[in-house]
Structures are given as C-alpha cells and as structure tokens.
Amino acid sequence: MKFTLSWLKRHLDTEAGLDEITARLPMIGLEVESVQDRGAALRAFVVAEVVEAKPHPNADKLRVCTVDTGRERLQVVCGAPNARAGMKGVFAPVGSVIPAGGITLKAAAIRGVDSAGMLLSEREMGLSDEHTGIVELPADAVVGSPAAAALGLADPLIDLAITPNRGDCLGVRGVARDLAAAGLGILLPLDASPLPGNFPSPIGVRLDFTTEAASACPYFAGRLIRGVRNAESPEWLKRLLLAADLRPISALVDITNFLTLDLCRPLHAFDADKLRGHIQVRFARDGERLAALNGREYALSPSMTVVGDDAGPQALGGVIGGEPTACTETTTAVFLESALFDPVRTAETGRALSIASDARYRFERGIDPTSVTWGLEVATRLIMELCGGEPSEVVVAGALPAGGAPIGFRPDRVRTLAAVEASAEECARTLDALGFGGTFEGETWQVKTPPWRNDIIGEACLVEEVARLLGYHRIPTVSLPRDAGLPTPALTPPQRRRARTRRLLAARGMIEAVTYSFMAARAAEPFGGGGALLRLVNPISADLDVMRPSPLPNLIQAAGRNADRGQRDAALFEIGPQYAGDRPEDQAVVAAAIRTGRNGPRHWAEPARPVDAFDAKADALAVLEALGLRIEKVVVATDAPAWYHPGRSGILKLGPQPLAHFGEIHPRVLRTLDVAGPVVACEIFLDALPVKEAAGTARPALVLPALQPVERDFAFVVDRAVAAETVVRAARAAERALITEVRVFDVFEGGAVGEGRKSIAIGVTLQPTERTLTDADIEAVSARIVAQVAKATGGTLRG
Amino acid sequence: MQDVDAVRGELLARVEAADLDGLERLRVAELGKKGRITALMKDLAGLDPDARRLRGAALNALKEEVANALERRRTALADAAIDARLDGERVDLSLPVRPERPGRIHPISQTIDEVVAIFGEMGFAFAEGPDIEDDWTNFGALNIPPEHPARQEMDTFYLPGERDGRRLVLRTHTSPVQVRTMLNQQPPIRIIAPGRTYRSDYDATHSPMFHQVEGLVIDRDLHMGHLKGCLSDFLRAYFAAEDLPVRFRPSYFPFTEPSAEVDIGCAREGGTLRIGPGRDWLEILGCGMVNPVVLQNCGIDPSQWQGFAFGMGLERIGMLKYGIPDLRTFFESDLRWLRHYGFAALDQPSLVTGL
C-alpha cells in the first residue's frame, strides 16, 4: 500500500511530520515497509535558468553558461549537449553533495575557465541512468525554488504492509482515520453528499441471481455521466498514481483507480456508448469469454460473477474490466459502476484466472458496503471536476446488507485482557475516533461497528482497538507466575530418548544432519516409499515430491554430495520423522545413521579400513544400550529389508519386536541414488522401543565376588551358516550360575577347517561365588559347554 | 680380624665389577647357605665368648655391608639397563595422534534444546503433533476459514488424501499443536511445541521446510502483561542479554486477539548486527491473546479461561544468535557447514550452566 505524505494529508489535518507519522504507524499496527524521502538527497539543489551559453574557448564539447540561481548569477562550465540559453535546469551549488558518487562539489577551473557549480543530469541526482543531457524543467518552474518540488519528488513515499484484517486501510483515508484516532491529527471531512441527477439513467441495472446466490452481488449502484471530455489527468493526480506504481491512462480511468487507492472504493467506468441495452449482473455462462483490460482473454466459468450487457459479459465483477467497453480518449458518456461483490467468490475467480488486481485485493478482504452509494457520489464529483459532464440519476439494484448487531463491550476488559489501564473516557474517545457508535455507558457498552470494519466480531476485537491506539507500550511486563516451586520435566520419556540418542551419536563421532521431510519419489521407492497417498499434490519441485519413508535416502545422497566436494568418509545421522502413511499414527520418529567410505583418514600408526556392517551394528547397539534396553537379550535376525545387502545386514530384535535395522546398503540402491559405496546404515525405531521406565532411581545392590574368576578358551568347528550368536548363547546356557561372560575372539574359514565350515573361538569367564573351583569342577563345566554347543550347532571342539 | 677386612675389601671390589648375573653368583657364593661368610659364621662356635662376640659383630657388619653393596649395585645396573633401553625407544612426538572424529549437533537441535531449557524452567511441557494435518486443525480451528487471505498467503502443500472429509496438508505452522492440546486437555495449559513446518516457497529467506516453536498458555487470569513478561524473560535468557529491549507492536493473526509482533533491540554497525540495546529494532516473533473463537472451537469456555499463544521461527533465532547467514544452508547437510556451525555433544543447554 503505497502513498505519499501529501496524499495522506488530503485526509489528515496534522502538525506531525514524516518522521513522527512513520514512527507511529507501526505502533498502531500498520507496518511500514519503507519510507522514501525522495527529495532528501536533492535538498541543496535549486531551479536555475541558463541565461547565456557560449562556446568554451579551449574545448569543443564544453559550454560556458551563465546561470541565474534566483540569488545570483554564476558562471558554470557544462558538457551537456542540451545546455542552451533560456532552458531551466537543476543547479548544484558549490559545497553541495552530488548523490551519484557522493562527491562534494568544489569551485574549479575547467580547461582554464572558472566554474562555480553544476547543472545536473538524472543520473547525477540518482534518479535514473539517464545521462545524455542535463535535466530540463518545465518553463513555469520558479527560478531559485527547490528542485525536488519542481521534479515532483518533494513528496515522501510511504509503503505500508497492511495485515489481511485491515481492508479498510487499503485506502489512504483508512490510514488517516487510524492516525487521527491515535491522536496524530484530525480526520478531514469527505464530501460524499448526493449530487442530484439531471435525467434518468438510460442504462438500467438488474441483479440476476437466485436468492441463495444473491450474496454474489447484493448491492449495485450506477450512473451515467454524459458530455465528458476524457483527457489526460491533471499533474497532481498523475503524480499520486505514479507514486503508487500505477500508470496514468486517462482521467476517467485514473479517477476510478484513484478512488480504489484513496477510499478503498473500486469502481468501473464503462464507455456508455459501447454498452448494449441494460446492465445485467449474473454468473458467467459456459463458453463465455472476456477480453480483459490487461490485454488477455479469459474463458469464464459459471461460478464467476460478470457485469454484462445484451452483448455478453463486459467485466468480471470485482476483478477486472473488459476491453471492448473500456473508456478511451473519445469517450463522451460514461456509465459508472459501484457495486458490492462477494469476497470469497471474487477471490476464487481471481485465483482461478490468475488475475491480481487492486479491486480484487480489496473486495476479497471486504469493503465498506455503504461506499456503493457514497463512492459513486465522490467519483461523480471528481469526474465533473476533471472531465465536465452532466450526471444522471443514480440507479440502484439490490440493497445494502444489514449490519451486524451491536457488540457488548466491558471497558474493564481492556485491563483484564490486554493489561492496559485505560479510563472509560479513553476507551470512548478511541472507539469514537475509529467510527464506532452506540452507547458508551454502563458496565457493558453496546458498541456498533462502522461498516468498513468487517474484521470486528467480538469484545476482544474492541479491546485490541483500544489497546493498540493507546499503545502497547502501556502493557506492563509481568513474569509468568509459577504453578509450583520447581517445574516438572518438560520432556516426555520418548522425547528424552530422542535427546539422549542425539547426543550419544554425536559423542560417537557422528554429525547430525536435518534434511527435508520430502524427497524424490525415485529415491524413496527403493526404501518402500513413494505411495500415492504420500505424494504431494503441489510439490515445489520434482525432487521433493513424496514424504520420505526413511531419512536414509536423504542422508545417503547428502554423503554423495559431500564426497563430490571432496568430503569423503561421512558419518551422518538424523533423528526425525518418517511416514508410512498419511495418518498421524503413520508418522514415527527414527534415528537413522550412516557411515561411508573408510572409518577414518589415512594415518601413520593406524591404517583406515572400509566401514562395514559391524560399525552400523555398533551404532545401533550403543543407542539401544544407552536407552536402557538389556542388549544381552537382543538377537540378530537376518531378514533386513530390501535396501540392505542381503548377506550383510540384520534386524535387532527383542523377542518378536524389531528395534533396529543395520547393515550395508544394497549396491543397487546406491546405484539408484548415484552414490559410491560402501555405505553402512542403521535405523533405530525410537518411538517403538519397548523401554520400561525404571520404577525407582536406586540401582540393584552391587555384589563383588571374593573369588578369582577363571578363563577358559574353546574353539568350535561349525557349519558356515551357524551364527556366532548361537554358539555364544549355547555356551552361556551351559552353566548360568557360573558363566558370566562369553566372548568371541577368533573366527576363520577354510584351510584346515574344511570347505563350508568355520572355526569360532570363544573365551568363557567362570566366576565362582562360594568356593574356589577345582580342576574337576572346571572339567565338568567345560564338558557341558562342549555338549551344549554341539547340541545347538552340531559343532565339534577343534583338536 | 684382618681376615675379615681382607674379605670385605675383596668382596666390595668384586661387587663393583660384577654384572647382573655376576651379582647373583656372588650373592650365592658369599652370602648363601654354603657361602664364605656363612662358613666364617659357623667357625664362631670355637671361640671364647668375648672373642666370639667381637668377631660375630664384625661378621654381621660385613654380611650387611656386602648385602647392601649387592643391592645398590643391582639397582644401579637395572637403572642403567632401563636408561639404555629407553634411550633406544625414542619416538617422534611431533607425529599426529590417532584420528578421532568429533561429532556435531545440528544448530536447529541445539536451538530447540535451548528453547526447551528456558521454557522448561517456566513450567512448559513439550507438546507435539503430526506433520501431516487436516485443514481444519491447521486452519479452520484457528479461525482461518478456507477463503481467508491468511490461508491463501501461506503457500500450503497438499496431500491427496482426506481425514474425516477434511483435506490433508503439510502443517504450515506449529499452531495446530495448540488445537490438539486444547482438544485433549482442559486448562490450565502450558506447552511449547517445536517442530517442522512446511510452505511452498524457496528463495534466499524461505525454505520449503523450516522449524517453528509454538507456545500456548491457558489459565484463568492471564493477560497480555504475562505474555510480555513471558516472552521478555525468554528472549533475554536466550540471547543472554539482561538489558535486551523488547517491544510489542500491534499486528494481526486470525487465532489471537489482541495480536502483537515482538521486536528486540539491535544495533547495525559496520555491516554487522548486534542483538541488544541499540538504535534499531528487529522483528522476532508473533503472539497474542488466544482468540475466544479458537477456544470455543477447541472446546474451552472462553468466559472461564483465557491465555496467550506465540510462535517463532527457530532457524531465525538460531541464525541471529549464532551468526548463520543463510537459512537454506540448514538443510544442505554440507559437512563443512555442520562442523563449523554445529555443537559438541557435551554442549547440553541448561540455564544453570548458562546458554
């Protein structure tokens, strides 16, 4: 919402200057996007007349000018080809700063001729890139007056970001009203009194809607003005429109645009001679088209409101007018439309056709319904003033929609809700200045909302109005009282688990990444994702079109990108959501971690090795252990999902429940993701872990055996398919009371062991508790271990 | 007694000349059960008591002296041997240590942990909701009807499915967690909800995914002064600036009434931004008193309860605190960036240790 200071002052009588106004605007809820005091940098420059321009004695391209600055006559050397006697230009005196380049001008001799100042081009003033000559001001520019004013730049430009609730401030008058209510001046009266018509309008209006659809256009007023001259708009109007980034077209069009911006009253001006028959406001019919004012043609659909005549649609209600009935410089009779269009329908039409117009922007936020009639009067006055002509009587169709019921307002709520101490007088004065009516008496006031404030729906809205205009600086700072002495923990147990996992993985040397929740379907599919329900309807790009089935593809691709930049050997993790479906229960938080390349950089003492599935298993087990799972009960199943290497991956389970996947990523998946291996990964299902929260904080009592533990080693030859874990569990089960640890310390295949067989060596720790073990005791336990392992695996003790 | 002196002189000389093996042989030969000194001791029996006493004392002194000499010599030899070995064991200590890979916590996680640490002190609980929401929970319940300009401005991502006849969206803000909390719990309520949010926008200051933290407090007598106090306390703790100026400005959100934007003081000097007292203001978050319409939508009686809500961008406050220049880099997983802007595993935020 752009306007100039002088434009604002057409509505606001105020002593306040630019700084005060722009400082106050944001403090009453009207955010200032920018303030451009376009004339500030030009303040030292004045209008000057070139009295004489003679050739330079020592340079062909220079001229020696005598310049009248209003105060004195000075000699100025000028290189511009258009410098000539009689022209008026912008003069920069010695000591002034040239905006382009920031140089302070000094008196100088140019090729031996003294020069006391400069005549400026637009580029030198920082106004444009124009530098073919010096600026030529109109002949009526007053010599010695400020150049900024002569250039039309003395008027500072204010740009506001208006929140969606404040449609009323999409007109300059609405901004002026707010400022006045904030005590920054007086809102000037607007003359919108009815102008009598001299003749009945030859063009009638019919609203052609069913009762149910009457809200599409409930109220319409029109009037014909004949005998107009549609010329160029006067300078003041053109300048205001230009300041608002609108191109002046012709007086009639400019007036309708001006009222849109000035009073938030969009209007349309038809060339009355181009209309056939009467105006009908109705829904568009299938197949109808409109050649719009923006030069484009639109196919209309039956949900769109059109303003038409006997020939068909001539405008899209509240959105844009049509080219065939537009006013041109030859227009002599104009039919003015001032109507009310449904905000939702207007928005839908505009969106469906991708038309963003000033009218649509205002109608979809809701405009003052009473402006249908008063807006027409203001426009008529302006047309008669600028274009002459004779107005018809006003034709009206439909009726002004009923206003809302008064709102009960307890002034004390300003204190109890907004914490602003406001007297009843302050409340009344503020509401009155904003245009609210009703009775401001008693404990509960009955407040009537002005028709331009469709955002006010309840008491809280009125509290906000009073509080914002009195100022939020009046809200005290009160620390939130505590319910109890000390707070209870903020995190739930699952949240605490995630927090622990995050810091544990980082402590293991992994780097946390946060990646998008969506990814390319191509990357998601190998991980079981890419289902139709998880495909975004409107993805931002084809690479981000499905919700991820796992964070792994993102991490793997991130590792690939890092490798491309020379950052190989990544250890990355992410703790975040994955999506199995579109229901809330389908979303689960998972800890996904990958390691790629080698386990570290080359080193003189410790050679790096490629990462392998056991790195991923270690990561997963470390997390499970840190989260309090009894990992000695965790078993490894080999049926990991298809994105893993079938022979180098597993699922960690507790009973039937999967806790984590781990292993090498399948080379085919890496090929799809275009990432070089090896990549190992684990996925820990944090939300699904069967973690029992400890009943108390006390640890079990520590029992330290007094007797020395005994170690015995065994090597078994088993079938290659036998899992080491089976051997370990069997050995452990041989004598539960005595065996405290079984550790695999050697595995090898082939050679003497034989084809399809392998040797697994275990170290067993026996911890006696009552008496020292005799050789016979140890022999007996050893025999049981050998027997148990043989029974469980068919393995034999290696000789 | 001359023979004792002679033995002493001879033995001490031999001890000084012996190597480690020689010392052992000497000990056995001289001090052992069949050694020379032991034999001399045995001869004492034939002497008269006075002579025996004198000679006995002399022999004992000799025995002790030799034993001490042996031990001294043994220690000296062992030390020399260690010195000699160590001299050969010199390594180049300028060589680098074995590689360790320091892990890192992502700045967003750290920021969330900091926010939770502060609001946790104020008694807030950490609430959550799904990323895939229905449009009533994301918009309708929050007083943003379908054609509301605020809904249109949000650049919503849509999913094809429906839930109870409602369209599915990726939540555009964390505010639906407010709705879920109020639907599931009667007041008093005091929650924060950090999480992922999504809008279809990508440029220098927008990412299609970003993080917000929502706050909601509902009680009987809360007013906007409490909102100002709560957020001022938070901002001053988060930016570790007790004198941080905090300013409320009127604004608009469909789900709060009255609504406010919050600015913090800053100074822009020489191209850098410093948070704290200064001439400039920086917009940091939006907030307000929960709109009675929203309370009603969520089954809470607005005549009994009132409260406030706030929402802020986590990347934004992280960028401001840690001087991170570009929002989009948060999600690029560039190892160099993560190492530079990330945090050590042990940097667990706490108000007690300081943020």
Side-chain angles (χ1 to χ4, degrees):
Chain A
M1 173 70 188
K2 275 188 183 171
F3 55 90
T4 67
L5 183 61
S6 75
W7 192 344
L8 178 67
K9 289 187 173 181
R10 290 167 64 92
H11 295 286
L12 184 70
D13 180 8
T14 181
E15 300 290 304
L18 179 67
D19 290 345
E20 196 183 346
I21 288 170
T22 54
R24 183 65 68 84
L25 282 167
M27 300 318 288
I28 59 172
L30 301 174
E31 193 179 334
V32 177
E33 286 269 280
S34 66
V35 180
Q36 262 180 282
D37 192 353
R38 299 171 295 173
L42 311 179
R43 219 150 260 158
F45 309 144
V46 295
V47 177
E49 181 170 355
V50 180
V51 182
E52 190 180 23
K54 295 186 299 191
H56 192 288
N58 306 323
D60 291 346
K61 293 194 171 166
L62 297 179
R63 260 164 239 273
V64 180
C65 302
T66 305
V67 169
D68 180 2
T69 70
R71 275 177 33 202
E72 55 195 326
R73 290 196 167 198
L74 297 169
Q75 177 174 291
V76 173
V77 176
C78 181
N82 61 334
R84 63 186 187 280
M87 73 171 290
K88 285 177 180 169
V90 176
F91 175 72
V94 167
S96 63
V97 177
I98 307 303
I103 301 153
T104 304
L105 207 55
K106 293 190 191 102
I110 298 172
R111 295 273 186 111
V113 177
D114 287 341
S115 182
M118 226 176 128
L119 289 162
L120 299 178
S121 70
E122 288 197 4
R123 188 166 85 191
E124 283 156 344
M125 284 188 281
L127 299 177
S128 75
D129 285 337
E130 178 60 42
H131 195 53
T132 53
I134 54 174
V135 168
E136 294 193 41
L137 293 174
D140 60 359
V142 179
V143 170
S145 69
L151 287 162
L153 298 175
D155 200 3
L157 186 62
I158 301 167
D159 188 6
L160 300 183
I162 302 294
T163 51
N165 59 324
R166 294 304 303 277
D168 64 306
C169 285
L170 294 172
V172 175
R173 188 169 179 81
V175 177
R177 182 184 294 111
D178 254 34
L179 283 168
L184 224 66
I186 295 161
L187 184 69
L188 294 167
L190 175 72
D191 186 3
S193 56
L195 276 169
N198 294 353
F199 57 96
S201 170
I203 297 174
V205 176
R206 189 158 57 91
L207 304 182
D208 197 1
F209 295 98
T210 60
T211 315
E212 299 80 60
S215 66
C217 177
Y219 194 28
F220 188 114
R223 156 182 275 171
L224 188 117
I225 306 168
R226 66 190 179 198
V228 296
R229 294 175 313 277
N230 189 19
E232 210 178 308
S233 290
E235 201 61 32
W236 68 265
L237 180 53
K238 287 199 288 186
R239 276 199 183 147
L240 294 187
L241 292 177
L242 282 168
D245 295 335
L246 278 184
R247 189 168 51 91
I249 293 164
S250 65
L252 287 173
V253 177
D254 293 351
I255 287 167
T256 60
N257 286 337
F258 177 65
L259 257 71
T260 303
L261 303 179
D262 189 48
L263 300 175
C264 196
R265 175 62 255 182
L267 301 157
H268 187 62
F270 294 97
D271 185 326
D273 294 329
K274 294 176 187 162
L275 288 173
R276 298 210 200 134
H278 296 295
I279 291 281
Q280 309 148 34
V281 189
R282 56 170 172 85
F283 289 134
R285 299 179 188 113
D286 272 324
E288 283 187 330
R289 303 180 74 81
L290 178 73
L293 280 170
N294 59 7
R296 299 185 52 192
E297 192 172 304
Y298 295 96
L300 309 182
S301 68
S303 65
M304 299 172 178
T305 305
V306 296
V307 180
D309 62 2
D310 292 351
Q314 302 300 351
L316 267 170
V319 179
I320 197 165
E323 186 63 47
T325 54
C327 291
T328 64
E329 51 288 9
T330 60
T331 298
T332 57
V334 59
F335 184 81
L336 265 184
E337 163 212 304
S338 177
L340 200 58
F341 295 102
D342 178 50
V344 172
R345 213 173 270 284
T346 308
E348 281 171 350
T349 300
R351 212 166 43 247
L353 301 178
S354 299
I355 303 173
S357 66
D358 285 324
R360 169 194 161 190
Y361 196 75
R362 284 160 179 78
F363 274 115
E364 66 187 24
R365 280 156 179 76
I367 60 166
D368 178 358
T370 65
S371 69
V372 166
T373 44
W374 64 251
L376 193 65
E377 302 297 346
V378 174
T380 305
R381 268 196 180 76
L382 206 47
I383 288 173
M384 291 170 66
E385 185 188 318
L386 301 185
C387 308
E390 183 188 14
S392 79
E393 289 161 7
V394 174
V395 282
V396 173
L400 182 70
I407 295 169
F409 170 67
R410 294 160 288 172
D412 191 45
R413 288 293 284 154
V414 178
R415 180 182 63 82
T416 60
L417 184 63
V420 170
E421 297 284 350
S423 66
E425 289 71 34
E426 283 177 314
C427 293
R429 196 173 65 231
T430 305
L431 291 175
D432 180 63
L434 287 171
F436 289 89
T439 54
F440 298 163
E441 282 167 9
E443 199 175 305
T444 302
W445 300 357
Q446 294 303 315
V447 175
K448 274 160 64 184
T449 301
W452 56 84
R453 289 303 299 273
N454 65 349
D455 59 312
I456 302 292
I457 54 159
E459 189 180 45
C461 306
L462 296 172
V463 168
E464 179 177 73
E465 290 307 295
V466 174
R468 80 180 169 91
L469 289 165
L470 295 180
Y472 279 8
H473 62 277
R474 283 169 69 164
I475 301 171
T477 301
V478 184
S479 284
L480 202 52
R482 278 188 171 178
D483 292 341
L486 288 172
T488 50
L491 301 194
T492 60
Q495 290 163 346
R496 200 155 59 227
R497 243 177 270 160
R498 289 176 219 161
R500 278 183 80 83
T501 302
R502 175 173 294 113
R503 295 200 179 260
L504 175 87
L505 289 173
R508 291 176 61 79
M510 308 199 86
I511 292 182
E512 187 189 16
V514 175
T515 70
Y516 289 147
S517 300
F518 23 61
M519 57 175 56
R522 182 180 54 77
E525 277 152 8
F527 292 81
L533 283 176
L534 290 170
R535 242 167 228 267
L536 294 180
V537 173
N538 55 336
I540 197 157
S541 84
D543 280 346
L544 300 171
D545 60 345
V546 302
M547 300 308 288
R548 66 191 193 185
S550 160
L552 280 183
N554 278 347
L555 291 177
I556 294 168
Q557 287 179 309
R561 287 195 304 274
N562 277 295
D564 292 345
R565 286 188 290 255
Q567 302 285 314
R568 293 182 187 83
D569 309 333
L572 281 168
F573 76 98
E574 176 167 8
I575 295 173
Q578 63 183 34
Y579 309 85
D582 62 7
R583 298 166 305 168
E585 58 269 32
D586 295 330
Q587 179 178 334
V589 173
V590 64
I594 65 162
R595 292 177 186 268
T596 68
R598 292 171 305 176
N599 69 334
R602 286 191 299 172
H603 187 260
W604 60 271
E606 217 165 62
R609 58 165 177 80
V611 294
D612 61 32
F614 295 98
D615 293 313
K617 186 181 178 186
D619 291 331
L621 286 174
V623 169
L624 295 178
E625 184 165 35
L627 297 183
L629 278 123
R630 298 183 53 193
I631 58 163
E632 68 274 14
K633 296 204 165 177
V634 170
V635 295
V636 178
T638 52
D639 50 343
W643 52 91
Y644 288 99
H645 185 306
R648 294 182 178 175
S649 62
I651 302 183
L652 296 176
K653 286 184 173 175
L654 194 62
Q657 170 131 29
L659 310 174
H661 302 153
F662 71 91
E664 249 183 72
I665 294 295
H666 200 296
R668 249 197 320 268
V669 173
L670 294 183
R671 197 178 59 201
T672 305
L673 299 177
D674 194 20
V675 173
V679 176
V680 301
C682 67
E683 299 159 89
I684 305 149
F685 311 115
L686 296 180
D687 281 0
L689 295 183
V691 179
K692 283 201 196 94
E693 291 304 311
T697 50
R699 312 282 173 93
L702 174 63
V703 180
L704 294 174
L707 302 167
Q708 282 274 3
V710 177
E711 305 248 353
R712 282 291 179 275
D713 293 348
F714 304 84
F716 293 99
V717 176
V718 294
D719 196 82
R720 189 169 180 267
V722 170
E725 195 174 279
T726 315
V727 175
V728 169
R729 282 180 192 280
R732 180 129 209 186
E735 186 59 69
R736 289 211 173 274
L738 209 52
I739 298 171
T740 51
E741 193 178 357
V742 179
R743 188 183 286 272
V744 177
F745 67 85
D746 192 34
V747 177
F748 79 89
E749 294 176 16
V753 180
E755 192 66 22
R757 317 270 297 158
K758 65 181 174 187
S759 159
I760 296 176
I762 56 172
V764 177
T765 305
L766 306 173
Q767 176 61 63
T769 50
E770 284 157 14
R771 58 180 177 80
T772 305
L773 296 177
T774 62
D775 285 352
D777 291 338
I778 296 170
E779 281 307 312
V781 172
S782 298
R784 272 201 295 283
I785 290 171
V786 172
Q788 284 283 353
V789 172
K791 190 174 153 203
T793 68
T796 54
L797 197 63
R798 218 172 133 219
Chain B
M1 304 284 262
Q2 272 182 348
D3 59 335
V4 173
D5 286 341
V7 171
R8 173 186 291 117
E10 180 210 330
L11 283 181
L12 291 181
R14 282 173 62 193
V15 165
E16 285 313 307
D19 60 10
L20 272 174
D21 291 344
L23 283 178
E24 183 57 17
R25 280 197 303 275
L26 249 175
R27 188 189 62 77
V28 173
E30 304 298 334
L31 300 178
K33 281 183 184 167
K34 294 175 180 167
R36 184 155 39 148
I37 296 175
T38 313
L40 289 174
M41 291 282 211
K42 284 176 183 163
D43 295 344
L44 288 174
L47 299 181
D48 63 59
D50 278 354
R52 188 164 57 200
R53 191 167 29 93
L54 277 174
R55 189 166 170 86
L59 282 174
N60 271 330
L62 171 65
K63 186 178 176 183
E64 194 180 327
E65 197 174 346
V66 171
N68 284 343
L70 274 168
E71 191 48 42
R72 260 199 318 276
R73 176 68 181 154
R74 193 193 316 279
T75 306
L77 284 174
D79 283 352
I82 287 173
D83 287 346
R85 177 163 62 82
L86 296 192
D87 203 46
E89 285 178 356
R90 278 180 196 285
V91 295
D92 175 3
L93 291 165
S94 70
L95 282 170
V97 298
R98 287 177 186 77
E100 284 171 29
R101 303 215 278 183
R104 279 283 181 268
I105 299 286
H106 194 282
I108 268 297
S109 298
Q110 189 75 8
T111 303
I112 290 174
D113 283 357
E114 291 181 26
V115 168
V116 172
I118 300 167
F119 282 112
E121 290 281 335
M122 291 191 239
F124 283 73
F126 188 142
E128 293 175 279
D131 296 3
I132 300 174
E133 273 293 3
D134 64 75
D135 63 355
W136 183 80
T137 315
N138 192 75
F139 294 120
L142 292 160
N143 195 31
I144 316 174
E147 288 307 324
H148 195 287
R151 192 187 289 206
Q152 303 309 324
E153 284 168 11
M154 278 212 202
D155 303 312
T156 312
F157 283 116
Y158 291 94
L159 285 147
E162 287 189 349
R163 194 181 295 160
D164 307 329
R166 295 163 179 165
R167 217 171 161 192
L168 293 182
V169 301
L170 290 187
R171 66 179 182 191
T172 56
H173 46 187
T174 40
S175 306
V177 184
Q178 281 188 38
V179 177
R180 290 179 170 273
T181 305
M182 287 191 278
L183 287 173
N184 290 318
Q185 179 191 344
Q186 276 298 302
I189 291 171
R190 202 176 278 207
I191 57 135
I192 45 163
R196 296 179 173 220
T197 48
Y198 307 88
R199 292 186 200 176
S200 180
D201 209 348
Y202 188 80
D203 60 34
T205 54
H206 296 90
S207 161
M209 183 186 91
F210 56 103
H211 293 73
Q212 280 190 345
V213 60
E214 191 78 9
L216 175 72
V217 183
I218 307 282
D219 214 320
R220 291 202 188 272
D221 300 313
L222 290 174
H223 53 60
M224 225 161 158
H226 295 114
L227 173 58
K228 208 176 200 178
C230 172
L231 291 175
S232 299
D233 288 344
F234 165 75
L235 290 165
R236 287 170 185 154
Y238 176 78
F239 287 107
E242 272 177 56
D243 55 352
L244 180 69
V246 177
R247 177 176 89 167
F248 269 43
R249 254 187 310 113
S251 188
Y252 168 73
F253 306 103
F255 31 97
T256 51
E257 189 82 48
S259 305
E261 294 270 9
V262 180
D263 298 336
I264 54 174
C266 67
R268 291 186 176 87
E269 289 150 359
T272 62
L273 178 74
R274 193 179 48 75
I275 305 287
R279 286 209 319 221
D280 298 313
W281 293 97
L282 194 66
E283 191 177 307
I284 192 92
L285 69 98
C287 64
M289 302 305 290
V290 180
N291 194 320
V293 175
V294 174
L295 291 176
Q296 219 140 27
N297 288 343
C298 298
I300 289 176
D301 180 358
S303 71
Q304 296 297 310
W305 303 98
Q306 67 187 32
F308 59 77
F310 54 85
M312 69 188 126
L314 288 166
E315 285 84 0
R316 178 162 170 76
I317 63 168
M319 287 163 77
L320 287 172
K321 182 165 179 177
Y322 295 111
I324 304 172
D326 189 343
L327 167 67
R328 294 172 295 189
T329 55
F330 276 74
F331 311 111
E332 287 173 356
S333 307
D334 185 328
L335 285 168
R336 298 165 300 179
W337 188 94
L338 291 168
R339 288 193 189 105
H340 182 78
Y341 290 111
F343 293 81
L346 295 178
D347 290 343
Q348 174 79 56
S350 148
L351 280 188
V352 177
T353 51
L355 292 177

